[in-house]
Amino acid sequence: MEQTILQLSYLIGSITFILGLKMLSHPDSARRGNLVAATGMGIAIFATIFLYKDHEGNPLGNYPWIFAALIIGSVVGTLAAKRVQMTAMPEMVSLFNGMGGACAMLISLIEYHHNPTPSTGILLVIVLGMIIGTVSFAGSIIAWGKLNGKIKDKSISGAQVINFILWAALLSLSVMLIGGYTTESWVFYTILILAAVYGVLFVMPIGGADMPVVISLLNSFTGVAAAFGGFLYNNPVMLTGGILVGSAGTILTMLMCKAMNRSLKNVLIGSFGAAKVGVAGVVKEQGNYKEISLNDTATLMAYAQKVCIIPGYGLAVAQAQHACHELEKLLEEKGVEVTYGIHPVAGRMPGHMNVLLAEADVPYEKLLEMEDANDQMSSTNVVLILGANDVVNPAAKEDPSSPIYGMPILEVQKADHVIVNKRSMKPGYAGIENELFFKPKTSMLFGDAKKVLQDLVSELKQV
Amino acid sequence: METIQNLFTDPAIYRLLTIVILSIFLGIEVIGRVPSVLHTPLMSGANAIHGVVIIGAIIVMGQARADDYLALTLGFWAVILGTLNVVGGFVVTDRMLEMFSKKKAKK
């Protein structure tokens, strides 16, 4: 009877995961979808704790340990997830993903330790689960470090050769171990270390702008690692959950690449890293740019009919979304039509800007998707770019040698005036110059986005 | 060779294999045409779902002998990390989506 309930719980778990993912991909049902999947997860977890029996029919023990770990994990996880700034969401997701990878890695470690003479099938599952879990763990930690600026982009010369050697070593050692040519445990631990090194080197050269894609890919890796656990314990819910995330994650990764018009291969080789060297080698002369004062900006915007605000990562780091909404309300009071032009990959993650502006209560209908924003651009008087760079870089349309060539951009040049708020003339995340800043229509307004917006608001009140 | 044969003759393994293949297609189908606005929450939600590894961690932990300190310690950590993945993942996703629904309600 208990086993029937357990299996039924697993079935419910699997169904909620499928339903959850399905609902998550529609705006109206997304939040409920998340709750549905979470409920299914809870059912599966508690059913396992209380009803699971091994082959001899023994129930699980060590309840104090299990519950202590569950409570610690829940408290820390909830606090971390609640406290994190909206801007740091991407890092957080990457970190949680790494935790899942590490969990899969530890399971493999213990199971290897438990099975002195495993069958080929079990060994295969243990070793593969460990490799994928470890790569995902190490990679996610690096991605996390990169996103919060702790780790800088580094392109290691000959990285591809090193990676190839690592792959060859991983493969041959795994074949030796799984094929039964050796039973030495050092081989297993060497595989563990190599996988960790590979995970680090895999993410290291990839540019920050591509990080969302990498996180999504590592996300699907962890899914596959979880699925290997499903094989290990003959557990259907781990299998469906893991594989679903594995395949959905892969598709999502490809969709994200498409949104940025980059191929997965380019992302993985880290062509931004490589191209950066090329661009730096032929430093184009920085043209002349002109600055604009706060006062002039305020006047220009106050007498405009239509203003389009283009937010980017600068807005996110400065936490300026509320100040931005303030400015927008003030302009509307003065009879100016204000819209937001949202590039799908502005910020650090697709949809990053939507989430951020929604937090500041910016009405949904003011957020224009890129195509709509571009359609309205020629009738716009003033475009205010807040800390966005690559998504408005005309090189993506005009310069075939540019690393971002082909990426769809917001065509701000069609507007009458372009005001760019940035902290300095430094290039954006892709590490390339932006000719937009030197165009005659463009004026620069330097400073931290939040400070500038607050100052603009007080200036506007006096206009 | 024997292992490969087992894939098809052992009913348990064959069943798992069927689940794998069907799940792959299901995963592709389910994601289908998701708007780019939802990419981040979807990734985050999927991230929480692969936290099912925690079930493996619980099983390992529950089967560890009371004097097997290595398994107990590692298993303890595995359960903590798995819980972090599950709980943190779902809470973060909910926070992201909360903002979407907030503006929906106001509309």
Side-chain angles (χ1 to χ4, degrees):
Chain A
M1 182 60 196
E2 279 183 354
Q3 289 317 293
T4 319
I5 300 175
L6 181 66
Q7 293 302 327
L8 193 66
S9 313
Y10 284 161
L11 197 61
I12 294 173
S14 302
I15 294 170
T16 58
F17 292 165
I18 299 166
L19 274 178
L21 276 179
K22 178 92 196 153
M23 289 163 85
L24 268 168
S25 40
H26 295 283
D28 297 329
S29 57
R31 196 172 179 201
R32 263 179 298 135
N34 187 48
L35 288 178
V36 165
T39 312
M41 183 74 81
I43 293 173
I45 289 175
F46 284 104
T48 307
I49 295 178
F50 294 114
L51 303 175
Y52 184 87
K53 297 244 166 41
D54 66 9
H55 298 300
E56 284 110 43
N58 302 314
L60 294 176
N62 299 320
Y63 279 165
W65 287 78
I66 295 179
F67 281 106
L70 277 176
I71 292 168
I72 295 175
S74 306
V75 171
V76 176
T78 312
L79 284 182
K82 286 262 183 204
R83 291 246 173 104
V84 64
Q85 300 277 3
M86 277 322 284
T87 41
M89 288 280 171
E91 280 124 270
M92 207 69 231
V93 174
S94 180
L95 198 60
F96 286 142
N97 182 45
M99 300 296 106
C103 182
M105 175 185 86
L106 289 176
I107 293 171
S108 284
L109 263 176
I110 301 168
E111 284 299 328
Y112 181 73
H113 178 69
H114 270 186
N115 288 293
T117 49
S119 72
T120 313
I122 296 279
L123 203 54
L124 179 85
V125 170
I126 290 179
V127 171
L128 286 182
M130 181 191 69
I131 294 178
I132 299 173
T134 309
V135 168
S136 178
F137 167 60
S140 298
I141 297 300
I142 298 296
W144 169 73
K146 280 198 158 201
L147 279 173
N148 66 17
K150 286 201 175 71
I151 300 169
K152 299 274 166 276
D153 289 357
K154 260 196 205 85
S155 40
I156 308 137
S157 54
Q160 287 182 48
V161 180
I162 300 174
N163 281 350
F164 180 77
I165 295 171
L166 273 176
W167 259 111
L170 268 176
L171 195 70
S172 43
L173 285 178
S174 305
V175 169
M176 270 168 71
L177 193 67
I178 298 167
Y181 300 105
T182 174
T183 50
E184 300 274 353
S185 57
W186 66 264
V187 178
F188 183 79
Y189 297 111
T190 312
I191 295 176
L192 175 73
I193 293 165
L194 287 180
V197 174
Y198 178 71
V200 171
L201 291 180
F202 172 66
V203 180
M204 213 40 145
I206 298 173
D210 285 331
M211 231 13 101
V213 179
V214 176
I215 297 176
S216 175
L217 190 68
L218 291 174
N219 195 21
S220 57
F221 279 7
T222 315
V224 175
F228 278 113
F231 266 111
L232 201 55
Y233 300 111
N234 198 352
N235 187 307
V237 75
M238 286 175 80
L239 206 59
T240 26
I243 294 290
L244 266 179
V245 173
S247 77
T250 310
I251 294 297
L252 187 60
T253 310
M254 276 151 43
L255 285 175
M256 283 185 182
C257 282
K258 220 171 130 201
M260 294 195 263
N261 207 4
R262 311 254 288 127
S263 76
L264 189 57
K265 199 178 126 220
N266 271 344
V267 171
L268 293 185
I269 295 175
S271 74
F272 271 165
K276 212 184 283 177
V277 183
V279 173
V282 267
V283 179
K284 275 191 213 153
E285 55 170 304
Q286 277 204 354
N288 290 318
Y289 58 86
K290 60 173 186 286
E291 282 192 55
I292 186 168
S293 69
L294 276 166
N295 194 293
D296 291 345
T297 311
T299 318
L300 201 59
M301 289 176 90
Y303 293 108
Q305 285 194 320
K306 205 165 158 188
V307 171
C308 181
I309 299 176
I310 295 175
Y313 186 63
L315 178 95
V317 271
Q319 288 284 315
Q321 62 272 35
H322 294 283
C324 187
H325 183 47
E326 192 83 356
L327 176 78
E328 165 221 315
K329 278 193 292 190
L330 201 60
L331 283 170
E332 294 260 298
E333 278 166 25
K334 291 184 183 292
V336 185
E337 188 189 344
V338 185
T339 56
Y340 290 85
I342 311 285
H343 192 281
V345 295
R348 281 294 178 275
M349 285 196 142
H352 199 168
M353 290 301 131
N354 302 68
V355 176
L356 206 64
L357 290 171
E359 192 198 357
D361 288 328
V362 174
Y364 189 59
E365 54 281 358
K366 289 207 168 293
L367 308 180
L368 299 182
E369 293 206 7
M370 182 174 60
E371 289 80 16
D372 301 331
N374 278 341
D375 287 344
Q376 298 194 14
M377 210 55 94
S378 45
S379 63
T380 303
N381 305 106
V382 180
V383 168
L384 178 65
I385 300 174
L386 296 169
N389 190 341
D390 297 325
V391 296
V392 291
N393 192 338
K397 280 186 86 110
E398 293 157 5
D399 179 8
S401 69
S402 169
I404 60 165
Y405 181 69
M407 180 174 93
I409 54 160
L410 283 156
E411 293 156 0
V412 292
Q413 291 184 80
K414 287 194 206 152
D416 299 339
H417 296 277
V418 179
I419 298 170
V420 182
N421 165 243
K422 267 168 84 29
R423 276 179 299 186
S424 67
M425 282 306 284
K426 276 206 208 118
Y429 224 88
I432 47 178
E433 282 298 338
N434 193 339
E435 267 183 47
L436 176 75
F437 304 155
F438 310 116
K439 302 265 167 169
K441 265 185 197 174
T442 313
S443 326
M444 306 299 291
L445 181 62
F446 291 115
D448 173 78
K450 190 174 185 176
K451 174 112 199 345
V452 164
L453 284 168
Q454 283 164 345
D455 292 347
L456 263 181
V457 167
S458 47
E459 285 284 339
L460 262 176
K461 281 182 180 153
Q462 290 162 26
V463 171
Chain B
M1 196 59 217
E2 203 187 322
T3 323
I4 297 169
Q5 237 169 25
N6 271 347
L7 286 180
F8 299 100
T9 50
D10 184 328
I13 299 178
Y14 188 74
R15 201 191 64 198
L16 292 181
L17 217 57
T18 314
I19 299 181
V20 168
I21 292 165
L22 292 179
S23 299
I24 292 176
F25 283 100
L26 204 56
I28 297 171
E29 214 42 53
V30 152
I31 292 302
R33 302 207 315 263
V34 50
S36 63
V37 187
L38 280 178
H39 281 176
T40 306
L42 182 63
M43 170 157 76
S44 179
N47 175 45
I49 290 176
H50 71 48
V52 264
V53 255
I54 196 197
I55 289 179
I58 290 172
I59 295 176
V60 158
M61 181 85 236
Q63 288 178 342
R65 277 179 289 112
D67 57 346
D68 188 352
Y69 292 111
L70 182 78
L72 282 176
T73 319
L74 292 183
F76 186 63
W77 273 104
V79 177
I80 292 183
L81 295 177
T83 318
L84 272 176
N85 187 179
V86 172
V87 176
F90 281 123
V91 175
V92 156
T93 314
D94 190 61
R95 258 191 77 192
M96 284 185 206
L97 293 168
E98 188 188 351
M99 288 160 193
F100 284 85
S101 53
K102 203 162 67 183
K103 75 199 169 194
K104 276 265 149 68
K106 282 203 167 163
K107 209 161 114 179

